[in-house]
């Protein structure tokens, strides 16, 4: 039960902090050398690696990892609940603008899974 409650709180925090920090990471311009290498379809790589990772990924990883480690929670349950509650908050808050955005999901699921895996792995070491 503690994993669910903490997961919801972490998910809400990730949703609101992610919006704030994505605003800053979205302002990072693509360097000319990189834009020459990337076509229009592969700017997805830039969006995943820079915009979404700096906006949501780092926050998701840090909050999920440290909540699992400090409170000794079930890592997979906490990460899953945090990701689902983050998406639920974003849908409820921005329902008129909400859309399924693949780079956001890739980063959120990847960083949440990595945080749960690392917290579980270090707990067993």
């Amino acid at each position: 039960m503690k994993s669910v409650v903490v997961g919801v709180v972490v998910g809400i925090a990730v949703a609101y902090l992610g919006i704030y920090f994505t605003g800053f990471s979205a302002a990072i311009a693509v360097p000319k050398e990189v834009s020459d290498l990337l076509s229009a379809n592969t700017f997805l790589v830039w969006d995943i690696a820079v915009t979404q990772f700096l906006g949501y990924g780092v926050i998701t990883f840090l909050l999920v990892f440290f909540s699992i480690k400090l409170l000794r929670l079930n890592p997979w349950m906490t990460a899953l609940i945090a990701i689902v509650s983050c998406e639920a908050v974003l849908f409820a808050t921005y329902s008129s603008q909400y859309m399924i955005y693949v780079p956001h999901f890739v980063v959120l699921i990847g960083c949440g899974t990595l945080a749960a895996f690392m917290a579980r792995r270090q707990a067993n070491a």
Side-chain angles (χ1 to χ4, degrees):
M1 183 65 178
K2 188 165 70 167
S3 295
V4 174
V5 172
V6 171
V8 169
V9 171
V10 167
I12 292 169
V14 166
Y16 286 114
L17 289 173
I19 292 167
Y20 181 73
F21 286 111
T22 301
F24 291 113
S25 64
I28 299 172
V30 180
K32 176 123 175 69
E33 295 79 19
V34 174
S35 67
D36 290 341
L37 294 173
L38 299 177
S39 66
N41 293 332
T42 57
F43 271 108
L44 207 58
V45 174
W46 179 265
D47 194 21
I48 289 173
V50 176
T51 306
Q52 294 297 321
F53 179 72
L54 293 177
Y56 278 96
V58 173
I59 294 166
T60 302
F61 179 82
L62 292 175
L63 289 179
V64 170
F65 180 80
F66 285 116
S67 66
I68 292 168
K69 292 297 286 182
L70 295 175
L71 300 174
R72 299 174 196 233
L73 303 171
N74 180 346
W76 302 111
M77 179 64 74
T78 306
L80 176 68
I81 297 298
I83 292 168
V84 169
S85 64
C86 174
E87 290 303 315
V89 166
L90 290 174
F91 178 75
T93 307
Y94 300 102
S95 60
S96 64
Q97 301 169 355
Y98 186 82
M99 62 180 184
I100 295 176
Y101 191 54
V102 175
H104 172 74
F105 282 123
V106 168
V107 169
L108 199 65
I109 291 171
C111 289
T113 304
L114 181 65
F117 177 73
M118 288 182 66
R120 180 192 61 84
R121 185 168 177 228
Q122 289 187 356
N124 294 333

